[in-house]
């Protein structure tokens, strides 16, 4: 209840899945619930359930494909708001992605067919999947 003169500006806590959806960190509430169920969301370092309440000051770590976002809740939301307003409801402490991950993987020209064995080895070295040690006896050391 919000009574006049108490200085209460809104709810003090809200369900985690509702807040993730409202702050536009997840596209749908069911996606937020599924992320919590899958262990992709942590509050203050601990795995959480979707129905747990969050308050201002909680640190949330939200893992999505290829990235982990670290946000600190600064305002409680109960309804989905526009992107500029949603951005003001959390502080983003996510580190910058590594430059090699931000760059697009090398592409081959269309119509050139499958890569040769030499090109595959070069791609593997570039991606860090190189076997490491010395070349196998049947491999050409000039590659």
């Amino acid at each position: 209840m919000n009574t006049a003169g108490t200085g209460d500006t809104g709810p003090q806590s809200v369900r985690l899945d509702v807040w993730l959806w409202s702050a536009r960190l997840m596209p749908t509430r069911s996606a937020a619930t599924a992320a919590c169920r899958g262990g992709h969301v942590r509050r203050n370092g601990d795995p959480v359930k979707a129905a747990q309440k969050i308050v201002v000051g909680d640190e949330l770590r939200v893992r999505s494909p290829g990235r982990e976002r670290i946000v600190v809740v600064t305002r409680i939301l109960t309804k989905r708001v526009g992107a500029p307003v949603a951005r003001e409801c959390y502080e983003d402490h996510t580190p910058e992605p590594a430059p090699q991950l931000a760059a697009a993987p090398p592409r081959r020209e269309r119509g050139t067919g499958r890569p040769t064995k030499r090109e595959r080895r070069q791609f593997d070295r570039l991606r860090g999947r190189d076997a490491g040690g010395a070349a196998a006896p049947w491999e050409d050391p000039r590659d």
Side-chain angles (χ1 to χ4, degrees):
M1 272 202 232
N2 198 359
T3 58
T6 61
D8 191 16
T9 58
Q12 299 300 312
S13 65
V14 68
R15 283 177 58 114
L16 176 63
D17 58 346
V18 171
W19 190 87
L20 288 172
W21 169 72
S22 300
R24 294 182 171 265
L25 295 176
M26 292 285 176
T28 63
R29 187 169 162 196
S30 60
T33 304
C36 292
R37 211 176 276 139
H40 300 294
V41 181
R42 292 180 173 267
R43 182 185 69 195
N44 301 326
D46 300 322
V48 291
K49 293 182 179 179
Q52 287 185 345
K53 302 287 186 180
I54 62 166
V55 295
V56 172
D58 281 347
E59 179 192 76
L60 302 176
R61 291 176 177 260
V62 183
R63 239 183 342 175
S64 57
R67 153 174 210 197
E68 181 181 45
R69 295 192 70 179
I70 303 169
V71 297
V72 175
V73 179
T74 58
R75 195 167 106 198
I76 297 296
L77 293 172
T78 56
K79 293 187 177 186
R80 194 161 170 98
V81 294
V85 176
R87 179 63 187 93
E88 296 172 357
C89 297
Y90 60 87
E91 296 174 9
D92 198 349
H93 295 285
T94 306
E96 292 294 319
Q100 64 201 20
L101 299 178
R107 299 282 180 206
R108 293 176 47 87
E109 295 295 322
R110 285 185 67 89
T112 57
R114 294 178 56 174
T116 63
K117 191 171 193 175
R118 180 179 185 177
E119 290 170 332
R120 282 197 324 267
R121 286 192 206 113
Q122 290 171 345
F123 282 138
D124 287 344
R125 280 190 208 110
L126 182 66
R127 292 182 180 135
R129 296 185 204 152
D130 188 19
W138 59 86
E139 291 181 350
D140 187 1
R142 293 174 286 172
D143 285 348

